[in-house]
């Protein structure tokens, strides 16, 4: 049961694996948007491009529903954050802060959480938000398997009302990430219990006015918002067919803000734009096949790890928009132990010699790369060059996505270039635990013990447990960790104020955004 939970909590982003049914699994391929000519008939370009002093213009994927719990699109979920509030916020470092829940307590045995709602929070129809709405939202979420928040509910056994503003949530298995599972929107029971597709009524900064299906959404500020009425009165959201259309619309001054993770977002950094870099949990690494006697040699793993200038990879291919990594724990995370890789590259020849390799018989390995992933093809070229500078020969094997996926599943590789989109619920057992299908055939009883301790850690010993885990990963190097990528919220110069986007809510604190007149 524990390993099942490991898989549930870690494989996907906290807001869901993907909004698109056709997007590949995260360890196989991540979508890359390549520049091409924008179709003239793009409906986004048919909108009035004049800018109003009281209206912010945003963009989103085309929604199939405006119910934030039944919604299956992560991009649409960002838009719905304008209308609905979550119980808690997940900050840029993965830690938790209050939102609708002003207090939350993990009970002694870590099998339940008690939370108290903010006072005087009202739905857009004037009804007060209460504990019954929280319980209803949890029950609905547990039955919505396509929801972007569905995974957050899977370890929740049930929830019960203790008082009109107090809820206790019980978990099937106690674990260290219970607070992070509270990041999901709350919806009003009296609105949705008889119609899940009702016109949206939330408690967020903006209220629903109308929707033109397939085209746009109109919102007006919530003057009774519990954090204070937004400074911008209106918000219009234009629907776009794809991410490229969103970027093109921003470039043509049709929308005021856009989020992107493309490699070359620097092209949008003009005097009229502002860029807010956002650290994400998108992790890139080189996978190692531990069925190989060569890979089992720790000297080889050290040589492979320290021969790479990881920050240079970020600087060259992402223009510095990312963070070099020594483990799968993000350097921006509150769990990070601030370890710095300090081993000199001068020691690499000695490591290779200890492993039995010479200039005449160099270390030679084949690295599997998904040729359909433009980003990783570029990164692979840089990796091959860096290794060659140290006499290590890496032969890239560029294959299509299906072949890439099959060969990893079948263990037909020596190295592979891959990536994970991690949840903000801390646990890394699915990639290293002996009981998990970890793709790299890695088994280590000491690693299992440390993973188990971290999984069961309480608030008091969480940081120590993850420090010990990181130290062991940094010592044993089961992956060659490369870097974590960043995203960016890009806004036009006229948008000012307090702008503090997070990966799971790019519109966090939008009530404090302003339009420069």
């Amino acid at each position: 049961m524990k390993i099942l939970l490991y898989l549930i909590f870690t494989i996907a982003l906290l807001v869901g694996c993907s909004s698109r049914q056709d997007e590949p699994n995260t360890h196989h391929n991540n979508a890359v948007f390549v520049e091409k000519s924008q179709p003239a008939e793009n409906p986004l370009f048919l909108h009035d491009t004049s800018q109003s002093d009281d209206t912010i213009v945003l963009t989103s994927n085309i929604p199939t529903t405006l119910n934030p719990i039944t919604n299956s699109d992560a991009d649409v979920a960002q838009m719905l954050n304008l209308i609905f509030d979550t119980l808690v916020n997940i900050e840029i470092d993965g830690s938790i802060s209050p939102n609708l829940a002003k207090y939350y307590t993990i009970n002694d045995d870590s099998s339940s959480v008690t939370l108290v709602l903010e006072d005087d929070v009202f739905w857009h129809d004037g009804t007060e938000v209460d504990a019954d709405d929280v319980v209803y939202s949890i029950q609905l979420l547990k039955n919505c398997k396509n929801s972007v928040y569905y995974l957050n509910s899977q370890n929740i056994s049930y929830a019960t009302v203790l008082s009109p503003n107090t809820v206790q949530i019980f978990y099937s298995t106690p674990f260290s990430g219970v607070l992070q599972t509270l990041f999901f929107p709350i919806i009003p029971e009296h609105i949705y219990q008889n119609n899940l597709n009702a016109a949206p009524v939330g408690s967020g900064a903006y209220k629903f006015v109308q929707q033109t299906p397939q085209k746009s959404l109109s919102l007006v500020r919530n003057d009774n918002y519990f954090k204070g009425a937004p400074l911008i009165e209106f918000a219009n959201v234009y629907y776009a067919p794809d991410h490229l259309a969103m970027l093109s619309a921003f470039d043509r001054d049709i929308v005021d803000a856009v989020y992107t993770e493309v490699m070359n977002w620097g092209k949008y950094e003009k005097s009229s734009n502002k860029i807010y870099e956002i650290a994400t949990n998108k992790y890139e690494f080189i996978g190692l096949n531990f069925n190989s006697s060569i890979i089992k040699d720790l000297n080889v793993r050290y040589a492979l790890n320290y021969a790479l200038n990881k920050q240079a990879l970020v600087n060259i291919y992402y223009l510095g928009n990312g963070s070099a990594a020594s483990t799968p724990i993000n350097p921006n995370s509150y769990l990070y132990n601030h370890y710095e890789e300090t081993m000199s590259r001068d020691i690499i020849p000695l490591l290779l010699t200890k492993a039995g390799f010479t200039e005449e018989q160099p270390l030679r390995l084949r690295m599997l790369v998904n040729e359909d992933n433009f980003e990783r093809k570029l990164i692979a070229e840089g990796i091959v060059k860096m290794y060659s500078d140290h006499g290590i020969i890496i032969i890239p094997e560029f294959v299509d996505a299906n072949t890439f996926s099959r060969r990893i599943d079948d263990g037909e590789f020596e190295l592979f270039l891959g990536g994970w989109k991690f949840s903000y619920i801390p646990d890394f057992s699915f990639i290293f635990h002996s009981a998990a299908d970890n793709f790299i055939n890695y088994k280590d009883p000491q690693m299992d013990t440390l993973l188990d301790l971290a999984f069961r850690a309480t608030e008091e010993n969480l940081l120590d447990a993850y420090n010990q885990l990181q130290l062991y990963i940094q010592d044993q190097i089961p992956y060659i960790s490369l870097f974590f990528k960043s995203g960016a919220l890009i806004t036009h110069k006229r948008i000012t104020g307090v702008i503090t986007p997070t990966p799971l809510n790019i519109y966090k604190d939008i009530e404090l955004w302003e339009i420069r007149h």
Side-chain angles (χ1 to χ4, degrees), residues 119-129 202-204 222 224 226:
D119 300 320
D120 300 323
V121 180
F122 297 91
W123 298 113
H124 294 155
D125 66 354
T127 306
E128 190 166 11
V129 176
S203 61
N222 176 10
N224 294 319
F226 77 100

Side-chain angles (χ1 to χ4, degrees), residues 18-24 33 61 72-75 242-243 246:
S18 169
S19 63
R20 301 170 179 84
Q21 295 299 316
D22 58 350
E23 184 171 313
F33 302 99
N61 285 347
S72 61
D73 186 320
D75 183 78
D242 54 41
H243 189 71
M246 296 179 191

Side-chain angles (χ1 to χ4, degrees), residues 238-299:
Y238 291 155
Y239 298 153
D242 54 41
H243 189 71
L244 180 60
M246 296 179 191
L247 291 175
S248 298
F250 177 82
D251 212 26
R252 301 189 187 195
D253 294 335
I254 296 173
V255 298
D256 288 314
V258 67
Y259 176 79
T260 187
E261 293 173 2
V262 296
M263 297 178 77
N264 60 338
W265 76 55
K267 63 177 281 188
Y268 299 97
E269 191 171 8
K270 305 173 184 176
S271 60
S272 59
N273 299 338
K274 294 182 181 179
I275 295 182
Y276 300 88
E277 184 174 347
I278 307 173
T280 75
N281 260 14
K282 295 187 176 181
Y283 164 76
E284 298 290 304
F285 66 94
I286 298 174
L288 313 171
N289 192 338
F290 279 82
N291 282 343
S292 165
S293 59
I294 295 175
I295 297 301
K296 287 180 179 177
D297 190 325
L298 188 57
N299 291 301

Side-chain angles (χ1 to χ4, degrees), residues 170-457:
F170 292 86
Y171 292 84
S172 302
T173 300
F175 74 109
S176 57
V178 291
L179 291 180
Q180 279 80 3
T181 66
L182 300 179
F183 184 82
F184 55 84
I186 303 303
I187 64 175
E189 181 179 15
H190 68 282
I191 296 294
Y192 289 96
Q193 61 182 341
N194 295 320
N195 182 7
L196 292 179
N197 293 312
V201 174
S203 61
Y206 283 88
K207 299 191 294 184
F208 173 81
V209 176
Q210 66 177 7
Q211 177 182 225
T212 303
Q214 307 295 310
K215 292 183 178 180
S216 64
L217 178 72
S218 298
L219 305 173
V220 65
R221 70 182 170 201
N222 176 10
D223 288 327
N224 294 319
Y225 189 44
F226 77 100
K227 296 179 183 180
L231 300 174
I232 301 174
E233 185 171 3
F234 301 104
N236 290 339
V237 183
Y238 291 155
Y239 298 153
D242 54 41
H243 189 71
L244 180 60
M246 296 179 191
L247 291 175
S248 298
F250 177 82
D251 212 26
R252 301 189 187 195
D253 294 335
I254 296 173
V255 298
D256 288 314
V258 67
Y259 176 79
T260 187
E261 293 173 2
V262 296
M263 297 178 77
N264 60 338
W265 76 55
K267 63 177 281 188
Y268 299 97
E269 191 171 8
K270 305 173 184 176
S271 60
S272 59
N273 299 338
K274 294 182 181 179
I275 295 182
Y276 300 88
E277 184 174 347
I278 307 173
T280 75
N281 260 14
K282 295 187 176 181
Y283 164 76
E284 298 290 304
F285 66 94
I286 298 174
L288 313 171
N289 192 338
F290 279 82
N291 282 343
S292 165
S293 59
I294 295 175
I295 297 301
K296 287 180 179 177
D297 190 325
L298 188 57
N299 291 301
V300 170
R301 303 204 299 277
Y302 278 164
L304 290 173
N305 187 57
Y306 290 109
L308 292 177
N309 186 334
K310 301 170 184 180
Q311 191 58 52
L313 291 174
V314 174
N315 294 343
I316 293 169
Y317 296 102
Y318 290 92
L319 302 180
N321 300 317
S323 301
S326 61
T327 76
I329 294 178
N330 196 319
N332 295 287
S333 171
Y334 73 107
L335 296 173
Y336 183 59
N337 68 355
H338 298 284
Y339 171 88
E340 299 293 337
E341 293 182 340
T342 57
M343 184 178 290
S344 170
R345 292 185 176 86
D346 295 337
I347 201 173
I348 292 172
L350 177 60
L351 292 170
L352 294 172
T353 299
K354 286 183 177 180
F357 299 99
T358 64
E359 289 186 11
E360 293 74 24
Q361 294 183 314
L363 174 60
R364 183 189 302 264
L365 294 166
R366 305 185 75 86
M367 182 171 70
L368 201 60
V369 183
N370 178 4
E371 66 182 2
D372 299 327
N373 189 310
F374 178 70
E375 290 187 11
R376 294 208 183 113
K377 283 182 68 176
L378 290 178
I379 293 294
E381 294 171 4
I383 289 171
V384 169
K385 175 62 170 62
M386 285 185 180
Y387 279 137
S388 69
D389 291 342
H390 295 278
I392 300 171
I393 299 174
I394 301 296
I395 303 169
E397 296 183 86
F398 296 104
V399 299
D400 63 83
N402 289 334
T403 302
F404 182 86
S405 179
R406 179 193 61 76
R407 286 185 57 180
I408 290 178
D409 289 341
D410 293 343
E412 297 177 8
F413 65 92
E414 291 180 307
L415 311 177
F416 72 87
L417 187 58
W420 290 107
K421 294 193 286 187
F422 287 134
S423 164
Y424 285 84
I425 301 170
D427 177 46
F428 300 92
S429 301
F430 81 103
I431 55 177
F432 295 142
H433 202 288
S434 299
D437 181 7
N438 59 37
F439 298 105
I440 59 172
N441 305 300
Y442 179 75
K443 297 185 184 299
D444 182 339
Q446 178 63 20
M447 181 71 78
D448 294 347
T449 297
L450 292 170
L451 289 166
D452 290 341
L453 289 173
F455 184 80
R456 297 193 305 266

